[in-house]
Amino acid sequence: MAQRMVPCPHCKRPLPEHASFCPYCAQSVRPQRPIKPPSHLWGKALRWGLGVCLVLAAVAAVVVPRLPKTYDAYGEVLYTDADGTYQLLLSAVSDRFTPMPEIQEKAELDMEYRVPSRLFINHVGTGVNAGPMFMQKVAFISTEFIQSETSPSPMVCSQPEEMSFSPEAARVSLLDYTGRSEPAELVWTLRMKNRDIIRLRQKIQLQPIRTYDYYPEDFPMETTQQLQDLVDRLSEEIPLPDIVNLHLPPVTYEGGLFIQSRPFNLYGSTDQQGHRTTFTDTVAIHAQNEPIAYFYDLDFVGNGENIGLSSPSRLWAENCTFSNWKTGVMGYGSAWVNVIGCRFSRNQVGFHFNSTGNSVSHTMFNDNHFEENATAVLLENVPTDVIMNFQNSRFSGNRVDIDNRCGQPLDLTQAIFE
């Protein structure tokens, strides 16, 4: 097959179709292209990646500090924002600087109890109470219990709120439980307006208390000496915090009764003729800083001298009478004393509060009857400034109804003065 001829692009002489050089004009028929050195693609990728990293670093420097943070601890958290560092802590008492990661309480099996869990907020730099200011930064606050689903008596908490009995606390949650409640964990959750989350935790541990009941059918307690001997023996045999209930016969006890080392609960009784358990001399409690001593359905009848019932620690008298004493009931030392549904008659002073303690058992002093006393109620010193409520208490024929020497806040709106 004849080879196809094409003209030289320079001298126009015929050349084979695939010739690359013209022998007539000595010119290259196919133009040469310059050879380019290979490009360093990895260098470009490195420079591009470095640029991306710089951009991401710049974005992170702006964005990361604004991401929400979570704080989670037992008892105390230190939280810092643009305004400074704050100490957030939980406590069951009024001390706003000491955290209580665990509340330990003593409880009788079938008794109901309530304790507060208090949230305090302090500014670390100055130590001032920062609760009101800090709560403006909070979007939402709540409490909940984490506990066994099989607990025979689950603990219950109220949602946090301000409460007058603890004015320095930013918020208070009330915890209700019985002696059969199993250990639980209380969780406070604060969701901040900047989306931070603060969780404060508190463990609740209960120490069960056993209760012992003694009856006159089983133990001699017909005379003051027999009763004193029983009190002294049980004080040595039964340790705190176990409870001892003495169910007394409807007899009249001559001579004083002294309760030392530990408190007792005394329950009076009434015979068929209407005679109640009666004491004609002082019943004095000397145990201090112990559980409440309860006195029910007892008559205290004096001769115009001495004190009917006295205590330097917590005392509760209900449905008792106090007549013809120099002082019917006296709380002193660190005592908090409640009288409920009692009758005070013909005493020089019916109810005398002279305590320099710092705790409160109950604010109610309701349904009492103060009649023909020189001074029905003498408030010389009362622990804390809690409002004492004399709801439905009746004052009649007293020379002085209430001598409020210490200026204690009182609620007399539902008291009756005749």
Side-chain angles (χ1 to χ4, degrees), residues 62-93:
V62 175
V63 174
V64 170
R66 297 181 182 176
L67 292 176
K69 298 179 180 179
T70 298
Y71 302 78
D72 197 320
Y74 285 91
E76 178 185 25
V77 160
L78 295 180
Y79 178 83
T80 301
D81 64 9
D83 297 323
T85 299
Y86 302 89
Q87 178 195 32
L88 286 77
L89 65 91
L90 299 179
S91 179
V93 297

Side-chain angles (χ1 to χ4, degrees), residues 219-404:
F219 297 88
M221 54 179 79
E222 295 291 324
T223 68
T224 304
Q225 188 59 55
Q226 290 176 337
L227 181 58
Q228 185 69 65
D229 291 343
L230 181 61
V231 165
D232 293 343
R233 178 169 68 84
L234 297 179
S235 296
E236 296 180 358
E237 293 179 355
I238 301 178
L240 289 168
D242 291 344
I243 301 297
V244 179
N245 297 323
L246 300 181
H247 299 268
L248 307 180
V251 299
T252 296
Y253 291 105
E254 306 286 347
L257 178 66
F258 299 93
I259 299 176
Q260 306 183 65
S261 303
R262 58 156 304 133
F264 287 81
N265 300 330
L266 272 57
Y267 292 81
S269 60
T270 305
D271 62 18
Q272 293 181 349
Q273 290 71 41
H275 182 272
R276 304 208 313 170
T277 305
T278 302
F279 289 91
T280 62
D281 204 342
T282 300
V283 175
I285 302 173
H286 294 285
Q288 297 193 40
N289 301 318
E290 301 292 355
I292 299 175
Y294 291 92
F295 285 60
Y296 295 98
D297 305 317
L298 302 169
D299 291 338
F300 295 80
V301 180
N303 60 2
E305 301 178 355
N306 302 323
I307 300 172
L309 178 60
S310 67
S311 177
S313 58
R314 294 191 294 170
L315 171 66
W316 180 289
E318 185 170 340
N319 195 28
C320 297
T321 69
F322 303 88
S323 58
N324 202 30
W325 296 94
K326 182 178 181 180
T327 301
V329 175
M330 182 169 186
Y332 65 98
S334 60
W336 182 269
V337 177
N338 285 94
V339 289
I340 308 289
C342 295
R343 179 181 290 270
F344 297 82
S345 59
R346 300 184 304 280
N347 304 289
Q348 293 185 41
V349 176
F351 175 44
H352 186 180
F353 220 143
N354 187 19
S355 169
T356 56
N358 56 13
S359 63
V360 175
S361 298
H362 202 287
T363 62
M364 296 302 295
F365 297 81
N366 55 288
D367 300 305
N368 298 297
H369 190 183
F370 300 90
E371 59 180 355
E372 300 180 10
N373 301 282
T375 299
V377 176
L378 172 57
L379 303 178
E380 191 168 351
N381 291 291
V382 178
T384 80
D385 59 355
V386 67
I387 298 175
M388 300 171 65
N389 191 332
F390 284 83
Q391 174 181 315
N392 295 329
S393 286
R394 183 182 297 272
F395 296 81
S396 59
N398 306 293
R399 276 187 284 175
V400 177
D401 288 325
I402 301 178
D403 183 352
N404 191 1

Side-chain angles (χ1 to χ4, degrees), residues 18-31:
H18 298 291
S20 59
F21 179 79
C22 179
Y24 302 103
C25 64
Q27 297 286 334
S28 175
V29 175
R30 298 183 180 277

